[in-house]
Amino acid sequence: MAEYKLKKDLRVAISGKSGCGNTTVSTLLSEKLGVTLINYTFRQLAAEKGMTLQQVIESAKTDDFYDKYVDTHQVELARREPCVLGSRLAIWMLDDADVKVYLVASDDTRAKRILNREGGDLEEIKRFTAFRDSQDSARYMKLYGIDNNSYSFADMKIDTADKTPDVIVDLIISHLIEKGYIEKA
């Protein structure tokens, strides 16, 4: 059961680069609010198509289908019902989101989190993450004219390096209460 009652059809967009805590924070927030979580990413598309994440990333370099499908599909889903949309481009793509949250963390923090989540070699993860960030940024600019390093318009910017996911969610909840979008159930 949701801990909060919505006072409007609420849509919260949460973005950040890999390893910032997007998925964890989006999941926890959607559970507390009792709304749908939308977190459709290259990772899910890869699983659906029987591909590796690396294969999808490589394919997306030459075929815009991958980005456009993921990005438009998640926005379509988000517009159907109150939700938390967690994705790399959520705060840009869901332009009518009620609250836009951008999560940040240092490259080292992000790499260590990815290592804990997926295993592997820390130095290789750092290289791959830097490569992926660079490729993502180039594609977003090419496809949509979006500079994903420019997020000053976000309602909230939260450095996740020294905060637990629960603390981050509490910060977002406080903001939603302050805005009058939710109240305690």
Side-chain angles (χ1 to χ4, degrees), residues 34-53:
V35 300
T36 299
L37 168 66
I38 299 170
N39 184 244
Y40 191 84
T41 65
F42 273 5
R43 196 174 301 281
Q44 283 77 30
L45 182 61
E48 286 177 13
K49 294 207 167 281
M51 299 168 70
T52 66
L53 177 60

Side-chain angles (χ1 to χ4, degrees), residues 4 50 90 92 126 128 135 141 146 153 166 168 181 183-184:
Y4 296 90
W92 291 273
K126 286 180 183 181
F128 177 71
Q135 294 298 311
M141 182 56 74
I146 291 173
F153 64 91
D166 288 321
I168 297 162
Y181 295 153
E183 63 189 8
K184 201 77 163 132

Side-chain angles (χ1 to χ4, degrees), residues 4 14 20-21 24-26 28-29 32 101 103 113 156-176:
Y4 296 90
I14 300 177
C20 283
T24 303
V25 169
S26 296
L28 290 172
L29 182 63
K32 284 195 174 215
V101 180
L103 304 179
R113 288 180 179 163
M156 300 180 77
K157 174 187 159 195
I158 303 172
D159 187 336
T160 66
D162 60 350
K163 295 173 185 68
T164 66
D166 288 321
V167 167
I168 297 162
V169 168
D170 288 345
L171 290 170
I172 299 168
I173 293 279
S174 294
H175 182 79
L176 295 172

Side-chain angles (χ1 to χ4, degrees), residues 18-79:
S18 180
C20 283
N22 297 346
T23 302
T24 303
V25 169
S26 296
T27 301
L28 290 172
L29 182 63
S30 70
E31 290 169 357
K32 284 195 174 215
L33 296 177
V35 300
T36 299
L37 168 66
I38 299 170
N39 184 244
Y40 191 84
T41 65
F42 273 5
R43 196 174 301 281
Q44 283 77 30
L45 182 61
E48 286 177 13
K49 294 207 167 281
M51 299 168 70
T52 66
L53 177 60
Q54 183 67 37
Q55 287 172 321
V56 170
I57 291 168
E58 287 298 315
S59 297
K61 287 181 191 178
T62 57
D63 187 347
D64 294 344
F65 162 81
Y66 295 91
D67 279 291
K68 289 182 177 180
Y69 180 79
V70 166
D71 298 333
T72 58
H73 185 61
Q74 66 188 358
V75 170
E76 288 167 3
L77 293 171
R79 291 205 166 118

Side-chain angles (χ1 to χ4, degrees), residues 114-128:
I114 293 166
L115 175 68
N116 288 338
R117 179 177 73 209
E118 299 172 12
D121 174 72
L122 183 60
E123 291 308 312
E124 178 55 35
I125 290 169
K126 286 180 183 181
R127 281 190 295 278
F128 177 71

